[in-house]
Amino acid sequence: MLFQILLQAAEQSGAGLAVFGAAIGAGLAAIGAGLGIGRIGGSAVEGIARQPEAAGAIQTAMLIIAALIEAVALFAAVICLLISFKL
């Protein structure tokens, strides 16, 4: 029902489906980044709990991987914005 309403609203404007797709893409990128960083944080805490002497190395690797995930999510959001503003 909700999807049909959204599709009807998208059809009323000329480039509605592209903007709709860009919005879905940006949302999926944000959800994926949140899930990825959550999984990294959980794994890092588990790794530090199992091997406390390696805490520094685990934290460093965790921060680097989290930064890379955020960069990919930001790139995806920028691409989605470019798609929505191009039309």
Side-chain angles (χ1 to χ4, degrees):
M1 178 75 176
L2 177 63
F3 187 67
Q4 290 176 350
I5 294 170
L6 291 173
L7 283 178
Q8 287 175 357
E11 288 176 1
Q12 290 177 358
S13 65
L17 287 177
V19 173
F20 185 67
I24 289 176
L28 288 176
I31 290 171
L35 289 174
I37 291 176
R39 186 172 174 117
I40 289 169
S43 297
V45 169
E46 183 179 342
I48 291 171
R50 288 180 182 210
Q51 218 172 8
E53 64 273 5
I58 292 172
Q59 286 177 347
T60 302
M62 178 189 69
L63 288 175
I64 291 171
I65 294 170
L68 291 173
I69 289 174
E70 284 293 325
V72 169
L74 182 63
F75 179 73
V78 167
I79 295 299
C80 291
L81 284 172
L82 287 175
I83 289 170
S84 66
F85 289 140
K86 184 175 181 178
L87 301 173

